[in-house]
Amino acid sequence: MHPLITPEALSDALSARPATVVLDVRWRLGGPPGRQDYEVSHVPGAVYVDLDTELSSPPGVGGRHPLPDPGQLQEVLRRAGVREGGQVVAYDAGDGSVAARVWWLLRWAGYGEVAVLDGGFAAWEAAGLPVTAEVPTPQKSDAAGDPEGGIVGDAAGDVVVRPGQMPVLDADEAAALAREGVLLDARAAARYRGETEPVDPKAGHIPGALNAPTTGHVGADGRWLGAAELAERFRGIGVSSDVAVGAYCGSGVTASSVVLALEVAGITSAEKPAALYAGSWSNWCALDRDVATGA
């Protein structure tokens, strides 16, 4: 499955493939909660999933959005109806930087049939496709251990989470990659340079990291750039297919879209994806690591 899907293609998939599950993950840094938007209007049949409480572990030294417990993630996905052999499409308000967290998490969990809605809910509405305020009834999900490392249980969904299928960096590995390969910082340029820091206790970036803001993935219409344009952008930053590459952001969420963009560009692949520093800048600051500023 291609990691991006158009609103029209999603509409067709919902008609032709009942096992397609749509997840609404609208979220704003600092609020208000995205669920408020969802309850007003969403893609018919979409299930709201909360980034803070369902797609992340509690904040702490590991960062503001640490990876969720595998059992918790499976519980969430099964309650949403995700099944083996089906497919999942995630959307946010627009640029896909938050929906990419779902794409990355499912790939990390061993589930390959997942995509991000190109242009998000804004593109769905702009295409004149139907919306609703009707909220699907949550499905009960029970979880139990599995001897092969997955989690099994009896629920509406039957997906089995097998964590560890995407490369994850810790702080030491991120520092090494910034020296020996390419580590991309997905935050806005002003935060990268250390001119402002609205969330974390330190301003600046990981020494040696290069800036690749997530806003550069999309065009003026809010849709993702094509593969050739993305490849040109990353080459201009200093990324090539023969050098190890990874990404981080403030808390490990929007950096997922850099991992996705690198794959769309053809610089990485599903078999050899970019690495994600899941703790990202929030973890780096909590560990009181060295900070660089400037361009």
Side-chain angles (χ1 to χ4, degrees), residues 5-12 14 41 43-44 93 117-131 221-223:
I5 187 171
T6 67
E8 295 79 10
L10 174 56
S11 180
D12 291 343
L14 291 172
S41 181
V43 173
L117 178 60
D118 190 5
F121 188 65
W124 178 272
E125 286 190 303
L129 294 166
V131 298
D221 61 355
R223 305 290 280 269

PDB file of all heavy atoms in Angstrom, residues 5-12 14 41 43-44 93 117-131 221-223:
ATOM      1  N   ILE A   5      -2.671   8.401   0.382  1.00  0.00           N
ATOM      2  CA  ILE A   5      -3.880   8.078  -0.367  1.00  0.00           C
ATOM      3  C   ILE A   5      -4.697   9.349  -0.549  1.00  0.00           C
ATOM      4  O   ILE A   5      -4.799  10.176   0.361  1.00  0.00           O
ATOM      5  CB  ILE A   5      -4.711   6.983   0.356  1.00  0.00           C
ATOM      6  CG1 ILE A   5      -5.887   6.534  -0.512  1.00  0.00           C
ATOM      7  CG2 ILE A   5      -5.172   7.442   1.732  1.00  0.00           C
ATOM      8  CD1 ILE A   5      -6.606   5.304   0.058  1.00  0.00           C
ATOM      9  N   THR A   6      -5.263   9.536  -1.734  1.00  0.00           N
ATOM     10  CA  THR A   6      -6.066  10.726  -2.006  1.00  0.00           C
ATOM     11  C   THR A   6      -7.457  10.573  -1.397  1.00  0.00           C
ATOM     12  O   THR A   6      -7.905   9.448  -1.140  1.00  0.00           O
ATOM     13  CB  THR A   6      -6.206  10.958  -3.515  1.00  0.00           C
ATOM     14  OG1 THR A   6      -6.983   9.884  -4.077  1.00  0.00           O
ATOM     15  CG2 THR A   6      -4.845  11.041  -4.195  1.00  0.00           C
ATOM     16  N   PRO A   7      -8.165  11.683  -1.180  1.00  0.00           N
ATOM     17  CA  PRO A   7      -9.540  11.583  -0.681  1.00  0.00           C
ATOM     18  C   PRO A   7     -10.424  10.739  -1.593  1.00  0.00           C
ATOM     19  O   PRO A   7     -11.235   9.935  -1.103  1.00  0.00           O
ATOM     20  CB  PRO A   7     -10.004  13.043  -0.639  1.00  0.00           C
ATOM     21  CG  PRO A   7      -8.750  13.829  -0.442  1.00  0.00           C
ATOM     22  CD  PRO A   7      -7.721  13.098  -1.246  1.00  0.00           C
ATOM     23  N   GLU A   8     -10.284  10.899  -2.900  1.00  0.00           N
ATOM     24  CA  GLU A   8     -11.121  10.136  -3.829  1.00  0.00           C
ATOM     25  C   GLU A   8     -10.829   8.641  -3.739  1.00  0.00           C
ATOM     26  O   GLU A   8     -11.755   7.810  -3.760  1.00  0.00           O
ATOM     27  CB  GLU A   8     -10.870  10.646  -5.255  1.00  0.00           C
ATOM     28  CG  GLU A   8     -11.304  12.086  -5.499  1.00  0.00           C
ATOM     29  CD  GLU A   8     -10.329  13.131  -4.962  1.00  0.00           C
ATOM     30  OE1 GLU A   8      -9.192  12.762  -4.553  1.00  0.00           O
ATOM     31  OE2 GLU A   8     -10.701  14.320  -4.933  1.00  0.00           O
ATOM     32  N   ALA A   9      -9.546   8.286  -3.620  1.00  0.00           N
ATOM     33  CA  ALA A   9      -9.192   6.877  -3.510  1.00  0.00           C
ATOM     34  C   ALA A   9      -9.679   6.286  -2.188  1.00  0.00           C
ATOM     35  O   ALA A   9     -10.115   5.127  -2.141  1.00  0.00           O
ATOM     36  CB  ALA A   9      -7.678   6.704  -3.636  1.00  0.00           C
ATOM     37  N   LEU A  10      -9.637   7.073  -1.122  1.00  0.00           N
ATOM     38  CA  LEU A  10     -10.163   6.591   0.156  1.00  0.00           C
ATOM     39  C   LEU A  10     -11.667   6.381   0.062  1.00  0.00           C
ATOM     40  O   LEU A  10     -12.198   5.382   0.565  1.00  0.00           O
ATOM     41  CB  LEU A  10      -9.843   7.580   1.275  1.00  0.00           C
ATOM     42  CG  LEU A  10     -10.465   7.259   2.641  1.00  0.00           C
ATOM     43  CD1 LEU A  10     -10.073   5.869   3.121  1.00  0.00           C
ATOM     44  CD2 LEU A  10     -10.077   8.314   3.671  1.00  0.00           C
ATOM     45  N   SER A  11     -12.374   7.298  -0.579  1.00  0.00           N
ATOM     46  CA  SER A  11     -13.816   7.146  -0.750  1.00  0.00           C
ATOM     47  C   SER A  11     -14.140   5.858  -1.486  1.00  0.00           C
ATOM     48  O   SER A  11     -15.044   5.109  -1.099  1.00  0.00           O
ATOM     49  CB  SER A  11     -14.375   8.351  -1.501  1.00  0.00           C
ATOM     50  OG  SER A  11     -15.768   8.222  -1.688  1.00  0.00           O
ATOM     51  N   ASP A  12     -13.386   5.574  -2.537  1.00  0.00           N
ATOM     52  CA  ASP A  12     -13.600   4.332  -3.295  1.00  0.00           C
ATOM     53  C   ASP A  12     -13.292   3.110  -2.434  1.00  0.00           C
ATOM     54  O   ASP A  12     -14.013   2.110  -2.472  1.00  0.00           O
ATOM     55  CB  ASP A  12     -12.707   4.316  -4.540  1.00  0.00           C
ATOM     56  CG  ASP A  12     -13.126   5.356  -5.575  1.00  0.00           C
ATOM     57  OD1 ASP A  12     -14.275   5.851  -5.489  1.00  0.00           O
ATOM     58  OD2 ASP A  12     -12.314   5.669  -6.453  1.00  0.00           O
ATOM     59  N   LEU A  14     -13.506   2.801   0.808  1.00  0.00           N
ATOM     60  CA  LEU A  14     -14.539   2.590   1.823  1.00  0.00           C
ATOM     61  C   LEU A  14     -15.756   1.901   1.233  1.00  0.00           C
ATOM     62  O   LEU A  14     -16.457   1.158   1.937  1.00  0.00           O
ATOM     63  CB  LEU A  14     -14.937   3.930   2.444  1.00  0.00           C
ATOM     64  CG  LEU A  14     -13.872   4.593   3.327  1.00  0.00           C
ATOM     65  CD1 LEU A  14     -14.298   5.998   3.726  1.00  0.00           C
ATOM     66  CD2 LEU A  14     -13.607   3.750   4.569  1.00  0.00           C
ATOM     67  N   SER A  41     -17.629  17.118  13.083  1.00  0.00           N
ATOM     68  CA  SER A  41     -17.643  16.636  11.702  1.00  0.00           C
ATOM     69  C   SER A  41     -16.427  15.761  11.445  1.00  0.00           C
ATOM     70  O   SER A  41     -15.308  16.121  11.843  1.00  0.00           O
ATOM     71  CB  SER A  41     -17.639  17.841  10.747  1.00  0.00           C
ATOM     72  OG  SER A  41     -17.683  17.428   9.411  1.00  0.00           O
ATOM     73  N   VAL A  43     -14.936  12.121   8.748  1.00  0.00           N
ATOM     74  CA  VAL A  43     -15.181  11.158   7.674  1.00  0.00           C
ATOM     75  C   VAL A  43     -16.123  10.085   8.203  1.00  0.00           C
ATOM     76  O   VAL A  43     -15.920   9.564   9.306  1.00  0.00           O
ATOM     77  CB  VAL A  43     -13.849  10.527   7.205  1.00  0.00           C
ATOM     78  CG1 VAL A  43     -14.110   9.405   6.206  1.00  0.00           C
ATOM     79  CG2 VAL A  43     -12.933  11.592   6.601  1.00  0.00           C
ATOM     80  N   PRO A  44     -17.180   9.750   7.460  1.00  0.00           N
ATOM     81  CA  PRO A  44     -18.124   8.737   7.946  1.00  0.00           C
ATOM     82  C   PRO A  44     -17.422   7.428   8.327  1.00  0.00           C
ATOM     83  O   PRO A  44     -16.620   6.896   7.560  1.00  0.00           O
ATOM     84  CB  PRO A  44     -19.053   8.543   6.741  1.00  0.00           C
ATOM     85  CG  PRO A  44     -19.022   9.866   6.038  1.00  0.00           C
ATOM     86  CD  PRO A  44     -17.605  10.345   6.181  1.00  0.00           C
ATOM     87  N   ALA A  93      -5.734  17.236  10.570  1.00  0.00           N
ATOM     88  CA  ALA A  93      -6.429  18.398  10.032  1.00  0.00           C
ATOM     89  C   ALA A  93      -5.963  18.761   8.626  1.00  0.00           C
ATOM     90  O   ALA A  93      -6.735  19.302   7.836  1.00  0.00           O
ATOM     91  CB  ALA A  93      -6.243  19.600  10.958  1.00  0.00           C
ATOM     92  N   LEU A 117      -3.953  10.089   4.762  1.00  0.00           N
ATOM     93  CA  LEU A 117      -4.814  10.793   3.813  1.00  0.00           C
ATOM     94  C   LEU A 117      -4.110  12.064   3.349  1.00  0.00           C
ATOM     95  O   LEU A 117      -3.821  12.959   4.161  1.00  0.00           O
ATOM     96  CB  LEU A 117      -6.152  11.131   4.462  1.00  0.00           C
ATOM     97  CG  LEU A 117      -7.144  11.906   3.594  1.00  0.00           C
ATOM     98  CD1 LEU A 117      -7.506  11.120   2.334  1.00  0.00           C
ATOM     99  CD2 LEU A 117      -8.399  12.253   4.383  1.00  0.00           C
ATOM    100  N   ASP A 118      -3.822  12.162   2.064  1.00  0.00           N
ATOM    101  CA  ASP A 118      -3.116  13.311   1.502  1.00  0.00           C
ATOM    102  C   ASP A 118      -3.986  14.565   1.618  1.00  0.00           C
ATOM    103  O   ASP A 118      -5.065  14.631   1.057  1.00  0.00           O
ATOM    104  CB  ASP A 118      -2.787  13.030   0.035  1.00  0.00           C
ATOM    105  CG  ASP A 118      -1.853  14.065  -0.557  1.00  0.00           C
ATOM    106  OD1 ASP A 118      -1.382  14.951   0.174  1.00  0.00           O
ATOM    107  OD2 ASP A 118      -1.590  13.974  -1.785  1.00  0.00           O
ATOM    108  N   GLY A 119      -3.496  15.551   2.364  1.00  0.00           N
ATOM    109  CA  GLY A 119      -4.260  16.778   2.567  1.00  0.00           C
ATOM    110  C   GLY A 119      -5.180  16.741   3.763  1.00  0.00           C
ATOM    111  O   GLY A 119      -5.791  17.759   4.111  1.00  0.00           O
ATOM    112  N   GLY A 120      -5.300  15.575   4.414  1.00  0.00           N
ATOM    113  CA  GLY A 120      -6.081  15.451   5.630  1.00  0.00           C
ATOM    114  C   GLY A 120      -7.559  15.752   5.462  1.00  0.00           C
ATOM    115  O   GLY A 120      -8.123  15.694   4.364  1.00  0.00           O
ATOM    116  N   PHE A 121      -8.192  16.077   6.583  1.00  0.00           N
ATOM    117  CA  PHE A 121      -9.629  16.325   6.576  1.00  0.00           C
ATOM    118  C   PHE A 121      -9.972  17.539   5.713  1.00  0.00           C
ATOM    119  O   PHE A 121     -11.043  17.581   5.089  1.00  0.00           O
ATOM    120  CB  PHE A 121     -10.134  16.533   8.000  1.00  0.00           C
ATOM    121  CG  PHE A 121     -11.637  16.595   8.112  1.00  0.00           C
ATOM    122  CD1 PHE A 121     -12.407  15.489   7.813  1.00  0.00           C
ATOM    123  CD2 PHE A 121     -12.274  17.759   8.511  1.00  0.00           C
ATOM    124  CE1 PHE A 121     -13.796  15.532   7.910  1.00  0.00           C
ATOM    125  CE2 PHE A 121     -13.655  17.821   8.612  1.00  0.00           C
ATOM    126  CZ  PHE A 121     -14.422  16.700   8.304  1.00  0.00           C
ATOM    127  N   ALA A 122      -9.070  18.502   5.643  1.00  0.00           N
ATOM    128  CA  ALA A 122      -9.314  19.688   4.815  1.00  0.00           C
ATOM    129  C   ALA A 122      -9.481  19.286   3.358  1.00  0.00           C
ATOM    130  O   ALA A 122     -10.364  19.807   2.646  1.00  0.00           O
ATOM    131  CB  ALA A 122      -8.176  20.684   4.966  1.00  0.00           C
ATOM    132  N   ALA A 123      -8.653  18.361   2.876  1.00  0.00           N
ATOM    133  CA  ALA A 123      -8.752  17.919   1.489  1.00  0.00           C
ATOM    134  C   ALA A 123     -10.019  17.095   1.262  1.00  0.00           C
ATOM    135  O   ALA A 123     -10.632  17.171   0.189  1.00  0.00           O
ATOM    136  CB  ALA A 123      -7.518  17.102   1.117  1.00  0.00           C
ATOM    137  N   TRP A 124     -10.408  16.315   2.255  1.00  0.00           N
ATOM    138  CA  TRP A 124     -11.639  15.521   2.145  1.00  0.00           C
ATOM    139  C   TRP A 124     -12.830  16.456   1.966  1.00  0.00           C
ATOM    140  O   TRP A 124     -13.674  16.251   1.086  1.00  0.00           O
ATOM    141  CB  TRP A 124     -11.800  14.661   3.393  1.00  0.00           C
ATOM    142  CG  TRP A 124     -13.040  13.823   3.429  1.00  0.00           C
ATOM    143  CD1 TRP A 124     -14.266  14.184   3.896  1.00  0.00           C
ATOM    144  CD2 TRP A 124     -13.176  12.476   2.951  1.00  0.00           C
ATOM    145  NE1 TRP A 124     -15.168  13.157   3.758  1.00  0.00           N
ATOM    146  CE2 TRP A 124     -14.530  12.095   3.180  1.00  0.00           C
ATOM    147  CE3 TRP A 124     -12.316  11.562   2.371  1.00  0.00           C
ATOM    148  CZ2 TRP A 124     -15.017  10.826   2.845  1.00  0.00           C
ATOM    149  CZ3 TRP A 124     -12.791  10.299   2.030  1.00  0.00           C
ATOM    150  CH2 TRP A 124     -14.134   9.941   2.268  1.00  0.00           C
ATOM    151  N   GLU A 125     -12.908  17.493   2.785  1.00  0.00           N
ATOM    152  CA  GLU A 125     -14.004  18.459   2.670  1.00  0.00           C
ATOM    153  C   GLU A 125     -13.935  19.214   1.342  1.00  0.00           C
ATOM    154  O   GLU A 125     -14.967  19.434   0.688  1.00  0.00           O
ATOM    155  CB  GLU A 125     -13.965  19.445   3.829  1.00  0.00           C
ATOM    156  CG  GLU A 125     -14.413  18.870   5.163  1.00  0.00           C
ATOM    157  CD  GLU A 125     -14.576  19.946   6.213  1.00  0.00           C
ATOM    158  OE1 GLU A 125     -13.593  20.668   6.478  1.00  0.00           O
ATOM    159  OE2 GLU A 125     -15.688  20.064   6.767  1.00  0.00           O
ATOM    160  N   ALA A 126     -12.730  19.608   0.936  1.00  0.00           N
ATOM    161  CA  ALA A 126     -12.575  20.368  -0.305  1.00  0.00           C
ATOM    162  C   ALA A 126     -13.005  19.551  -1.519  1.00  0.00           C
ATOM    163  O   ALA A 126     -13.454  20.119  -2.526  1.00  0.00           O
ATOM    164  CB  ALA A 126     -11.121  20.808  -0.462  1.00  0.00           C
ATOM    165  N   ALA A 127     -12.908  18.228  -1.416  1.00  0.00           N
ATOM    166  CA  ALA A 127     -13.317  17.354  -2.511  1.00  0.00           C
ATOM    167  C   ALA A 127     -14.830  17.160  -2.557  1.00  0.00           C
ATOM    168  O   ALA A 127     -15.346  16.487  -3.456  1.00  0.00           O
ATOM    169  CB  ALA A 127     -12.614  16.005  -2.400  1.00  0.00           C
ATOM    170  N   GLY A 128     -15.554  17.742  -1.598  1.00  0.00           N
ATOM    171  CA  GLY A 128     -17.008  17.624  -1.569  1.00  0.00           C
ATOM    172  C   GLY A 128     -17.505  16.262  -1.132  1.00  0.00           C
ATOM    173  O   GLY A 128     -18.659  15.898  -1.405  1.00  0.00           O
ATOM    174  N   LEU A 129     -16.660  15.515  -0.420  1.00  0.00           N
ATOM    175  CA  LEU A 129     -17.044  14.180   0.039  1.00  0.00           C
ATOM    176  C   LEU A 129     -17.853  14.286   1.330  1.00  0.00           C
ATOM    177  O   LEU A 129     -17.741  15.260   2.069  1.00  0.00           O
ATOM    178  CB  LEU A 129     -15.791  13.330   0.237  1.00  0.00           C
ATOM    179  CG  LEU A 129     -15.047  13.042  -1.083  1.00  0.00           C
ATOM    180  CD1 LEU A 129     -13.651  12.499  -0.821  1.00  0.00           C
ATOM    181  CD2 LEU A 129     -15.848  12.052  -1.935  1.00  0.00           C
ATOM    182  N   PRO A 130     -18.679  13.282   1.622  1.00  0.00           N
ATOM    183  CA  PRO A 130     -19.599  13.377   2.766  1.00  0.00           C
ATOM    184  C   PRO A 130     -18.882  13.397   4.111  1.00  0.00           C
ATOM    185  O   PRO A 130     -17.815  12.803   4.281  1.00  0.00           O
ATOM    186  CB  PRO A 130     -20.461  12.116   2.633  1.00  0.00           C
ATOM    187  CG  PRO A 130     -19.640  11.165   1.832  1.00  0.00           C
ATOM    188  CD  PRO A 130     -18.862  12.018   0.874  1.00  0.00           C
ATOM    189  N   VAL A 131     -19.486  14.105   5.064  1.00  0.00           N
ATOM    190  CA  VAL A 131     -19.006  14.143   6.444  1.00  0.00           C
ATOM    191  C   VAL A 131     -20.181  13.851   7.363  1.00  0.00           C
ATOM    192  O   VAL A 131     -21.341  13.899   6.945  1.00  0.00           O
ATOM    193  CB  VAL A 131     -18.377  15.505   6.792  1.00  0.00           C
ATOM    194  CG1 VAL A 131     -17.157  15.771   5.921  1.00  0.00           C
ATOM    195  CG2 VAL A 131     -19.395  16.632   6.633  1.00  0.00           C
ATOM    196  N   ASP A 221      -1.286  24.079  -1.677  1.00  0.00           N
ATOM    197  CA  ASP A 221      -2.649  23.547  -1.589  1.00  0.00           C
ATOM    198  C   ASP A 221      -2.825  22.586  -0.419  1.00  0.00           C
ATOM    199  O   ASP A 221      -3.894  22.015  -0.219  1.00  0.00           O
ATOM    200  CB  ASP A 221      -3.031  22.844  -2.890  1.00  0.00           C
ATOM    201  CG  ASP A 221      -2.126  21.665  -3.223  1.00  0.00           C
ATOM    202  OD1 ASP A 221      -1.126  21.442  -2.490  1.00  0.00           O
ATOM    203  OD2 ASP A 221      -2.400  20.960  -4.218  1.00  0.00           O
ATOM    204  N   GLY A 222      -1.756  22.393   0.383  1.00  0.00           N
ATOM    205  CA  GLY A 222      -1.851  21.502   1.530  1.00  0.00           C
ATOM    206  C   GLY A 222      -1.654  20.037   1.203  1.00  0.00           C
ATOM    207  O   GLY A 222      -1.670  19.196   2.107  1.00  0.00           O
ATOM    208  N   ARG A 223      -1.450  19.714  -0.067  1.00  0.00           N
ATOM    209  CA  ARG A 223      -1.219  18.319  -0.466  1.00  0.00           C
ATOM    210  C   ARG A 223       0.287  18.049  -0.517  1.00  0.00           C
ATOM    211  O   ARG A 223       1.102  18.946  -0.722  1.00  0.00           O
ATOM    212  CB  ARG A 223      -1.843  18.054  -1.847  1.00  0.00           C
ATOM    213  CG  ARG A 223      -3.324  18.410  -1.932  1.00  0.00           C
ATOM    214  CD  ARG A 223      -4.199  17.476  -1.126  1.00  0.00           C
ATOM    215  NE  ARG A 223      -4.465  16.241  -1.815  1.00  0.00           N
ATOM    216  CZ  ARG A 223      -5.525  16.042  -2.619  1.00  0.00           C
ATOM    217  NH1 ARG A 223      -6.399  17.013  -2.830  1.00  0.00           N
ATOM    218  NH2 ARG A 223      -5.700  14.879  -3.207  1.00  0.00           N
TER     219      ARG A 223
END
